[in-house]
Amino acid sequence: MSFLLRLVATAAALWVAVYLVPGIEFQGPLWHLLGVALVFGIVNAVVRPILLSLSCPLVLLTLGLFIFVLNALMLWLTSMLSAALGIAFHVDGFVSALIGAIIVGIVSTVLNVFISDDD
């Protein structure tokens, strides 16, 4: 149950980013955003740790600010994979991805505070 709640929280965070950032677009039924959230979660679970370990010196050198760049790349990769799966989620450029990743991070953190880890 906690997984589904976190998936809905991520989908809500992505919806807020679509609503606030001009370079992030989503067309289609709202439940397709759950598919985008699932792709985003898989990308963050599989690709992000690899890139984080490879870019560890850059993260240390920039005092952690490079993590924002990695988060933007994860959102951009989610856009590409979603398009390949036939879901109409698109991020126009890196600046839109950066702003969107910051918004998704803030909103999902706030929403995940209310989700318990009782499982």
Side-chain angles (χ1 to χ4, degrees):
M1 184 67 169
S2 178
F3 169 76
L4 290 177
L5 289 174
R6 290 190 192 281
L7 187 67
V8 170
T10 304
L14 287 166
W15 180 81
V16 170
V18 167
Y19 183 74
L20 292 178
V21 180
I24 301 177
E25 291 115 19
F26 173 74
Q27 286 130 11
L30 202 54
W31 64 271
H32 278 191
L33 211 51
L34 288 174
V36 176
L38 185 62
V39 170
F40 187 64
I42 291 170
V43 165
N44 276 329
V46 175
V47 178
R48 189 173 187 265
I50 296 168
L51 289 180
L52 192 58
S53 65
L54 290 174
S55 64
C56 189
L58 278 174
V59 172
L60 292 173
L61 186 66
T62 62
L63 301 175
L65 292 177
F66 192 72
I67 291 177
F68 290 121
V69 174
L70 288 178
N71 290 342
L73 291 174
M74 296 304 98
L75 189 60
W76 211 356
L77 181 61
T78 299
S79 169
M80 290 183 220
L81 291 174
S82 295
L85 293 173
I87 303 172
F89 178 76
H90 181 70
V91 178
D92 280 336
F94 180 75
V95 174
S96 298
L98 183 64
I99 295 169
I102 291 170
I103 290 173
V104 168
I106 291 170
V107 173
S108 65
T109 299
V110 168
L111 291 177
N112 282 324
V113 164
F114 299 108
I115 299 172
S116 66
D117 285 333
D118 290 341
D119 292 331

